[in-house]
Amino acid sequence: MSTVQTSIAPGLHTAFQQRHQYAREWKARTGGKVVGFFCTYVPEEIVYAAGMLPVRLFGAHQPQEVSERHIATMYCPYCRDVLAQGLLGRYDYLDGVVMANSCIHLRQAFESWRIHVPASFTYFLYMPCNVRQAAAVEVLTGELREFQSALESWGGRTISKTALKKAISVYDTNRRLLKQAYELRKADNPPIGGTEALDAVLAAQTMDKQEHSKLLSGALEGWKRSSTARKGARLMVVGSEDDDIGLVQLIESLGAVVVTDESCTGTRYFWNESEPDGDPLSAIARRYLKRPPCPSKDIDDEEPHQRLKFILDLAQQYRVKGVVILQQKFCHPHELDYPNLVKALQEKGLPAVHLEMDITIPYGQFRTRIEAFMEMLE
Amino acid sequence: MRTKYPTKPFELWQKAKEIRLQNYKSIMNAKAEGKLLFTGQRGAPTEIVAGFGDLEFLGMNDYAASIAHDPPAALEAFELLEARGYSRDVCAYWRCLWARP
C-alpha cells in the first residue's frame, strides 16, 4: 500500500523513506562511519559520541528469497526482512553492525549478517535480560565500557567523557521533542495522527539526531499552529517492531485516530531520558535499563508485568477506546505476553484486535478485520 | 542392512530406562522425603544449587522431551495452552513444560 506525505512534516516522512540515500549523503559530507544496529537496546549515544552515525536496520516489506538459506522461515518476519536487506546489498554503505542481547531471532539474524555481509566492525553487546536486577547497572556499565573500547580501537580515536555527555544531551533533547509531539495527541481532536507520529520516530532511528531534532522542531511548530483536527475512535497500537506506515495509515483511513502506541518504533524507543550521573556510561546504562521494557526484558519476580502497567497507563492518559495489537508473526516474547496483555486490557474494559504481521501483509483481510473492530467500538 | 561398521542393539537401553524411571520417582517423592526440589534448564550451573545438599533436580529440557514423546500428554498440554490464549507457534517444548509443571 502506498503512503502519503503529510502536509506539515513531509521531511520526516521522506527522511525515513529515503534512509539509505540519507545515510550515504551523511557519509559523503562528514567522512564518518555509519553503524547499523539491530535492536533499540543498542546504546546509540556511544556510537554517536564516536562521531559515527547509528542507524536502525529495517526491512523493505518486499517478497524475498535470500534469507531462508540462513535463518528458518519460523523466525520473525522483521529478522528475515532485515537480514535480506543485508544479503541483497542494500546496506552496502554500512561500516559496522551492532546487536544488543534481546531476542534469539534477532541475534541469529545478526550472526548470519556478520558471516555473510561484509563489515569491518561487528559487535554483540551483552544486555542483561533481567533489567531490574540490582546488579544490572554495574554489569551493563562494564559492558558499555568494553563496547566503547572496541569502538575506539576500530575508529582510531578516543571517545571523551565530554563527547559522551554531549551525545546524551543530544539524545535526551530528541526524546523530549518526540514526547512533546506525543503530548499533542492527547487533545480531543489531535493535530497529529499515528501515521505522522510513526514517521517521526522512524526518522529519528535513521537520522543524525541533531538534524532530526531540527526537522522535528519545525514540524512541532506546524502541528501546534495547525487547524487540523483528527476525529475518530481513539486507538492505541501495541506490540512488536512495526515500521509498516501503510498499516497505520490503513487503520486511520477507516475512521480511527491512533493516539498513542507501545512499541520499539514508538514510545519504548524514546519515552525515558537519562538521569544525571557523574559517569556518562553509568547514566546510559541506567537509561536503557529503565526504559519501557520490551517483553524480552520484562522479567522480574518482584515487579512483574511492568510492560502491562506502562500500556495501561498510556491507555488512560490518552483516553484510548480500543487497542490494535500488531505482532510480528512468530515473535515469542510478544506471543508469551499476549494472554496476560489481553486479560489486562479486558479488566480495564478495553477491547482489542490482534493482527499478525508478516514481511508483506494482507491489506484486504486486515481492512475487514479493522472495520469489524471499529463497528464493535461504536 | 549392510553397514560400513558393525552394529548391535544398545545393551544398556533397558538399564537407561530404569535409571530414568528411578530419576522421575525420586523427583515425585522429593517433597514427601523432605528434600528440596527445583527445576531449571540443563545448561544452568546446577553445581551452585547442589550446595544446598539433599535435593532433586527436574531438568526442563529432558522433561519436555519426555512429555513430547508421550502424544496424549503433549496433546493435552497443547490444548490447555491454546485455550489460555497462547499461540500454536510458540515453542512446543515450552508449551509442554508450561502446561505440565
Side-chain angles (χ1 to χ4, degrees):
Chain A
M1 185 175 189
S2 65
T3 57
V4 295
Q5 292 189 5
T6 59
S7 57
I8 292 173
L12 293 168
H13 179 83
T14 308
F16 178 68
Q17 296 304 317
Q18 299 179 358
R19 56 193 178 278
H20 297 307
Q21 186 184 329
Y22 172 84
R24 284 192 179 95
E25 287 173 2
W26 182 92
K27 200 170 169 174
R29 86 178 125 91
T30 66
K33 294 184 190 309
V34 182
V35 177
F37 63 93
F38 277 79
C39 171
T40 53
Y41 274 101
V42 169
E44 290 174 62
E45 292 92 327
I46 302 174
V47 181
Y48 196 82
M52 302 170 191
L53 174 67
V55 294
R56 188 175 185 187
L57 303 176
F58 288 103
H61 302 286
Q62 294 166 346
Q64 52 84 19
E65 53 182 20
V66 294
S67 67
E68 290 175 19
R69 293 172 213 165
H70 304 284
I71 53 175
T73 49
M74 41 62 70
Y75 276 53
C76 98
Y78 170 63
C79 300
R80 286 183 280 125
D81 202 4
V82 165
L83 177 60
Q85 302 315 304
L87 295 168
L88 290 167
R90 290 177 182 160
Y91 276 106
D92 59 359
Y93 54 85
L94 289 183
D95 298 286
V97 284
V98 181
M99 167 69 187
N101 179 45
S102 54
C103 73
I104 296 292
H105 287 190
L106 204 49
R107 177 165 184 184
Q108 291 303 316
F110 165 75
E111 294 295 346
S112 183
W113 185 299
R114 78 196 312 188
I115 293 169
H116 301 290
V117 185
S120 62
F121 179 78
T122 65
Y123 195 91
F124 177 77
L125 173 81
Y126 176 71
M127 171 78 204
C129 289
N130 191 340
V131 291
R132 294 187 285 276
Q133 194 178 41
V137 174
E138 189 183 341
V139 170
L140 184 56
T141 304
E143 292 293 333
L144 297 186
R145 197 160 285 121
E146 293 288 319
F147 179 49
Q148 178 185 344
S149 175
L151 276 176
E152 287 174 337
S153 298
W154 176 54
R157 57 184 266 195
T158 303
I159 303 171
S160 68
K161 261 193 174 186
T162 308
L164 283 169
K165 285 181 178 173
K166 189 187 171 196
I168 291 172
S169 169
V170 166
Y171 270 69
D172 281 345
T173 299
N174 190 256
R175 288 167 184 140
R176 210 169 303 134
L177 289 169
L178 284 167
K179 212 164 176 180
Q180 283 173 25
Y182 270 55
E183 275 296 309
L184 299 176
R185 303 169 79 186
K186 287 181 177 172
D188 287 343
N189 299 304
I192 168 175
T195 311
E196 291 92 339
L198 184 56
D199 273 336
V201 181
L202 292 175
Q205 297 184 342
T206 48
M207 284 181 75
D208 178 307
K209 284 288 187 292
Q210 290 188 79
E211 292 176 15
H212 181 266
S213 289
K214 198 173 168 187
L215 204 55
L216 182 56
S217 295
L220 260 173
E221 289 309 310
W223 284 322
K224 284 175 186 169
R225 287 196 306 269
S226 170
S227 56
T228 303
R230 294 169 194 280
K231 293 172 185 167
R234 300 175 69 87
L235 299 186
M236 177 179 186
V237 167
V238 167
S240 312
E241 185 279 345
D242 170 36
D243 57 275
D244 198 330
I245 296 169
L247 179 53
V248 178
Q249 202 172 37
L250 172 71
I251 295 169
E252 298 198 312
S253 74
L254 298 174
V257 186
V258 175
V259 291
T260 192
D261 63 71
E262 187 271 344
S263 83
C264 60
T265 41
T267 52
R268 284 210 306 269
Y269 178 65
F270 67 83
W271 205 249
N272 71 322
E273 293 181 29
S274 312
E275 294 165 12
D277 192 314
D279 176 7
L281 288 182
S282 172
I284 294 170
R286 286 175 200 278
R287 188 266 156 191
Y288 281 84
L289 292 167
K290 287 185 177 179
R291 59 167 265 192
C294 164
S296 70
K297 301 289 182 198
D298 197 16
I299 305 161
D300 190 335
D301 290 341
E302 290 176 14
E303 294 180 83
H305 304 313
Q306 291 300 303
R307 177 177 174 243
L308 301 188
K309 285 177 189 165
F310 179 65
I311 291 168
L312 295 178
D313 187 40
L314 281 178
Q316 188 181 26
Q317 282 184 45
Y318 286 82
R319 293 171 291 136
V320 167
K321 298 298 176 199
V323 175
V324 181
I325 302 171
L326 295 180
Q327 182 216 300
Q328 293 280 351
K329 193 173 178 63
F330 306 126
C331 173
H332 270 47
H334 281 278
E335 285 180 339
L336 296 182
D337 243 13
Y338 175 74
N340 284 329
L341 169 62
V342 171
K343 186 174 168 221
L345 294 173
Q346 281 172 345
E347 285 171 358
K348 294 289 179 187
L350 285 167
V353 62
H354 179 228
L355 302 176
E356 211 172 41
M357 298 183 288
D358 210 327
I359 290 178
T360 58
I361 56 172
Y363 278 100
Q365 187 191 93
F366 279 11
R367 172 189 290 273
T368 306
R369 293 192 61 198
I370 297 162
E371 280 173 345
F373 182 62
M374 300 285 292
E375 281 176 23
M376 199 180 82
L377 292 178
E378 285 168 2
Chain B
M1 189 175 79
R2 289 175 63 84
T3 56
K4 186 175 178 181
Y5 300 102
T7 61
K8 61 178 181 177
F10 187 33
E11 289 175 6
L12 291 174
W13 189 231
Q14 189 54 39
K15 186 67 180 172
K17 287 181 179 177
E18 287 170 20
I19 293 171
R20 182 180 63 181
L21 183 63
Q22 185 54 46
N23 177 234
Y24 279 121
K25 279 183 177 171
S26 301
I27 289 164
M28 287 168 67
N29 297 329
K31 290 267 173 128
E33 292 172 5
K35 294 179 182 175
L36 287 172
L37 176 63
F38 77 100
T39 185
Q41 286 178 293
R42 276 292 176 197
T46 49
E47 294 86 344
I48 296 172
V49 190
F52 282 117
D54 202 11
L55 53 84
E56 292 293 340
F57 175 71
L58 175 63
M60 284 178 167
N61 310 59
D62 36 310
Y63 182 48
S66 298
I67 297 168
H69 190 61
D70 180 353
L75 188 62
E76 187 187 324
F78 296 156
E79 287 176 345
L80 179 68
L81 267 288
E82 195 173 334
R84 293 193 179 192
Y86 290 98
S87 173
R88 273 177 285 176
D89 60 48
V90 170
C91 166
Y93 259 28
W94 181 86
R95 282 181 289 150
C96 284
L97 275 173
W98 196 237
R100 301 178 66 86

